[in-house]
Amino acid sequence: MTATVPTAPTAPAPHLARWLIRLHQPALLVGTAFVVVLGAALLWLWGPLTHGSVTAWRQYEACATTGPCHYNQYAILLHKDVYQYATFALLAVPFLVAAWAGASLVGRELEQGTVRLAWTQGVSPRRWLAAKLAVPAVPVTLGTGLLVLLHHLMWSAGDGRIGTAKDWYSGETFYANGTVPVVLALAGLAAGALLGLLTGRSLAALGGALGLTGLLWLGTQLAMPHLWPTVTRVSSLHDGPTGSGLGVERGLLTASGARIGDHGCDDGGTPKCRALFDRLDAVGYYHDYHPESHYWPLQITTSAVLLGVTALLTVAAFRVLRRRTGGPAAVPASAAAVEEAAV
């Protein structure tokens, strides 16, 4: 009598995307809840909070002409606080994606060895990683893109109408209103997968992915102002530096046309500054900056660079997977290979 050994199920192979969604359903639910809650906060800002703050500012401005009066200070402060928290929450999305991708999406499966089970059920390592990157990329892109759109609409509703509203070039607002957070979230996904493969440990991958995403975020802030030609505004010593926008560099112009930065004298009326100007033979100020018309060129150019970085991180992840498994070249030959993995 011959004993029959049951074969392992092969469900993950033909339905890999569905299998991944079931496997990471808790993360999908948490991510959906995050988008819903933050989206609701942005809609609240866009509607009632903006209306209340605009009304309160009108009351406050009327006080300057009518004398002592009352205005709704609470509405102004509430809009300001919720705006700040919502903006920081949106900018945290790439870090949350990177941490999850490193710790749970890849690192935990390698640490626990469950990935070997998938590889023995008709799923090649290359296809496994392609699906791991392609399937989450869809909700990450859609969710982050929706939040960015709501943030931009909300900011536009209060621009020029609320005294405490942030300028378009102001710190966090500049990035939260554009395409950079969406692409940076995809870069975080690739970074998490790469660190998960490199370390094979969920906690180490989490920390490494956060660190690498932080470096990408810092590099983005340093590089973005230089990825598009600036506008130069020249002004007299009496007028001081002029030009409103995303500043890149400003300083003194000498009679010979030389530039001197970091001089510390924007107010030429003080004796100390006048003496400095005489010593340097300064004749005016220069200011290199980006006006508001440069906003989308800067965002799109930076996003294109980040997409290139994301592609490099993805290629690196497939190279590391190849070394881990000893298989053939693991980079998909075309986008069709990634789409096939998600079917």
Side-chain angles (χ1 to χ4, degrees), residues 154-167:
M154 173 271 298
W155 173 83
S156 299
D159 183 34
R161 305 169 64 201
I162 297 176
T164 52
K166 299 292 186 180
D167 294 316

Side-chain angles (χ1 to χ4, degrees), residues 234-237 250-261 263 276-287:
V234 176
S235 56
S236 67
L237 294 175
R250 68 180 185 179
L252 290 172
L253 279 175
T254 67
S256 63
R259 289 184 167 198
I260 302 175
H263 51 81
L276 175 66
F277 296 159
D278 292 339
R279 187 170 69 253
L280 297 175
D281 196 19
V283 296
Y285 292 98
Y286 73 90
H287 184 197

Side-chain angles (χ1 to χ4, degrees), residues 71-160:
Y71 67 96
N72 191 352
Q73 185 182 31
Y74 174 76
I76 294 175
L77 296 177
L78 181 62
H79 178 276
K80 181 180 178 181
D81 290 342
V82 177
Y83 179 93
Q84 182 177 8
Y85 297 143
T87 302
F88 278 119
L90 172 55
L91 295 178
V93 169
F95 294 92
L96 297 177
V97 172
W100 170 75
S104 179
L105 184 66
V106 175
R108 185 175 63 183
E109 288 204 41
L110 290 173
E111 186 175 36
Q112 296 178 348
T114 55
V115 65
R116 297 290 178 181
L117 178 61
W119 292 347
T120 58
Q121 292 182 354
V123 179
S124 67
R126 180 182 62 181
R127 189 179 179 192
W128 170 82
L129 181 57
K132 283 283 187 178
L133 292 172
V135 173
V138 175
V140 166
T141 302
L142 293 178
T144 311
L146 175 61
L147 293 177
V148 166
L149 175 62
L150 290 176
H151 191 282
H152 190 85
L153 292 173
M154 173 271 298
W155 173 83
S156 299
D159 183 34

Side-chain angles (χ1 to χ4, degrees), residues 101-103 106-107 110 191-201 205-206 209 324:
V106 175
L110 290 173
L194 174 61
L195 268 296
L197 289 166
L198 282 173
T199 63
R201 297 289 184 270
L206 185 153
R324 270 187 168 272

Side-chain angles (χ1 to χ4, degrees), residues 1-6:
M1 182 175 180
T2 304
T4 303
V5 180

